[in-house]
Amino acid sequence: MRTGIGYDIHRLAPGRALILGGVRIDHPLGPTGHSDADVLTHAVIDALLGAAGLGDIGEHFPDTDPAYKDADSSALLADVVGTLEARGLVVHNVDTIVVAERPKLAPYKPKIKERLARVLKIDPDRVNVKAKTAEGTGAEGRQAAISAWATATLAER
Ligand code: MG
């Protein structure tokens, strides 16, 4: 077994789509970024790369590369899962935390789990999504940013 940790944060701006784990969330603010700025998927990618000892998301998908402008982060995640498979690694489970003052993510959790699990090629019960507010403190509390944490465990085939 191998474990990894991932973290990501993006600024929030009006009129940007809020996509978490590949799921579109209805909210007037969304993260800014070179790709679709899916902060949760980015944290999961870094957790997977960390567990595999393969560096970080910026090394694999540079935000200076026009190829990744507005990129679908779920496609990047699928690409990483393929890289792991090629090295004989399979995802055992993933645990995550999204830190956002608003909106309430509880209604979206089942869909996010299902979507991430499909891309990770594992059962939804091996993907956990937790949502927390920042109790009004810091960048997330002011709704200036949204952040996410993830851990991943990989099994060697
Ligand atoms: Mg990011």
Side-chain angles (χ1 to χ4, degrees):
M1 288 288 195
R2 307 174 65 121
T3 64
I5 184 172
Y7 165 77
D8 196 25
I9 186 166
H10 282 257
R11 288 175 197 272
L12 288 172
R16 285 275 301 185
L18 175 56
I19 297 168
L20 289 174
V23 174
R24 176 72 184 262
I25 311 287
D26 188 26
H27 195 55
L29 301 175
T32 61
H34 186 66
S35 68
D36 65 5
D38 182 338
V39 71
L40 174 57
T41 298
H42 293 181
V44 170
I45 287 173
D46 262 353
L48 294 174
L49 291 173
L54 291 173
D56 64 36
I57 188 170
E59 294 168 29
H60 291 259
F61 311 107
D63 64 6
T64 49
D65 186 336
Y68 303 118
K69 174 101 180 80
D70 298 323
D72 174 359
S73 295
S74 294
L76 306 184
L77 177 58
D79 189 277
V80 169
V81 171
T83 300
L84 300 181
E85 281 172 349
R87 290 166 181 258
L89 296 168
V90 291
V91 181
H92 180 269
N93 74 291
V94 167
D95 189 18
T96 66
I97 306 171
V98 178
V99 185
E101 204 64 23
R102 287 194 201 111
K104 286 270 172 253
L105 295 175
Y108 296 98
K109 282 181 185 171
K111 201 169 171 193
I112 293 171
K113 277 176 63 144
E114 206 175 290
R115 176 67 199 261
L116 281 175
R118 199 180 332 140
V119 180
L120 292 166
K121 301 183 181 175
I122 55 178
D123 271 7
D125 68 0
R126 289 175 181 263
V127 178
N128 195 63
V129 178
K130 303 191 290 289
K132 306 194 77 68
T133 73
E135 300 256 324
T137 67
E140 293 96 329
R142 293 195 312 275
Q143 296 193 73
I146 185 168
S147 63
W149 298 84
T151 62
T153 303
L154 305 180
E156 290 174 28
R157 236 194 332 245

